[in-house]
Amino acid sequence: MKPSCRSLIGTLAAMTLMGLTSPTALADEPTPGPTGDVVAEQPADLPAATPEASAAPTEAPAADPSASPDADPSAAPAEAAEPGADPSAAPTEAAEPTAAADPSAAPEPSASPSDNPSAPTADPKRTWREENGKLYFYENGVKQTNTWITWDNLKYYFGADGVLQTDTWLHQGDKWYYVDHYGAAVTGRRQVDDSGVEYFFDSNGVMQTDRWIDQDGVSFYVQSSGAIATNAWLKFDNKWFYVDANGIRAVGLVKVGTEWYHFSDDGVMT
């Protein structure tokens, strides 16, 4: 036999021996430790597959952004730039009114009405009317009745028929008023008729009673009737006072009749 044939036969025999011995060795080793080795062998195979799966996704994004995504995102910004151009045009339109100087013209109409308010006032809604020789008062076209009306800081009273009351006493509740010839309620110290009796009315026109009135540095007393007491002795809380012919309370040394009396600064006889 030739040396080449011998070497070929030897190689085949060695390969046969190796194939026979390796399976037996592999079959003998797994038997002693199946508990943990089996789980360990499975993850050993999985890593080989995971890189393959991870390679697939890496290839997908690599291919997408390189070709088609480049065109799509580029188109999207182009559309976004269009609205950007619209707002840029809007400010230019807003700037036009400022240049038009319309606000400067606005004060002109406001200046014209400023002259008008002085002419029309609220008075036309509140007006006097003379009907058949008698005076009435209207507010917004309605005749006023049974009410006081204030006009130029004076108070006037209109009766049930709306006629202005004049030269008369008015009794409302527990209050007395007096209106003069013009219908205005009187205030202050006033003589209202030919009797010579004087009365005192407060700022609202109410007649005062049973009290001292201090006015212009002097004091006088209005009685329950409202009349100011004159030339009379007055006793309050066991204290005596005297008022002269003008109703003024006496102070100091004063002669009453034929006798002299002394009164304190409060008018009390001492």
Coordinates of all heavy atoms in Angstrom, one line a residue, residues 14 24 81 183 211 249:
A14 N -8.7 8.4 12.7 CA -8.7 9.4 13.8 C -9.9 10.2 13.9 O -10.5 10.5 15.0 CB -7.5 10.3 13.6
T24 N -20.0 10.5 23.7 CA -20.1 9.9 25.0 C -19.7 10.8 26.1 O -20.4 10.8 27.1 CB -19.2 8.6 25.0 OG1 -17.9 9.1 24.7 CG2 -19.6 7.6 23.9
A81 N -43.3 76.9 8.8 CA -42.8 78.2 8.5 C -43.8 79.1 7.9 O -43.8 80.3 8.0 CB -41.6 78.1 7.6
G183 N -94.4 129.3 49.7 CA -94.5 127.8 49.9 C -93.2 127.2 50.5 O -93.2 125.9 50.6
R211 N -87.4 123.1 74.9 CA -86.0 123.1 74.9 C -85.4 124.5 74.9 O -86.0 125.4 74.4 CB -85.4 122.2 73.8 CG -85.8 122.7 72.4 CD -85.0 122.0 71.3 NE -83.6 122.4 71.4 CZ -82.8 122.2 70.3 NH1 -83.2 121.6 69.2 NH2 -81.6 122.6 70.4
R249 N -82.3 134.7 77.8 CA -82.1 134.3 79.2 C -81.2 135.2 79.9 O -80.1 135.6 79.4 CB -81.5 132.8 79.2 CG -81.3 132.2 80.6 CD -80.9 130.8 80.5 NE -79.6 130.7 79.9 CZ -79.1 129.5 79.4 NH1 -79.8 128.4 79.6 NH2 -77.9 129.5 78.9

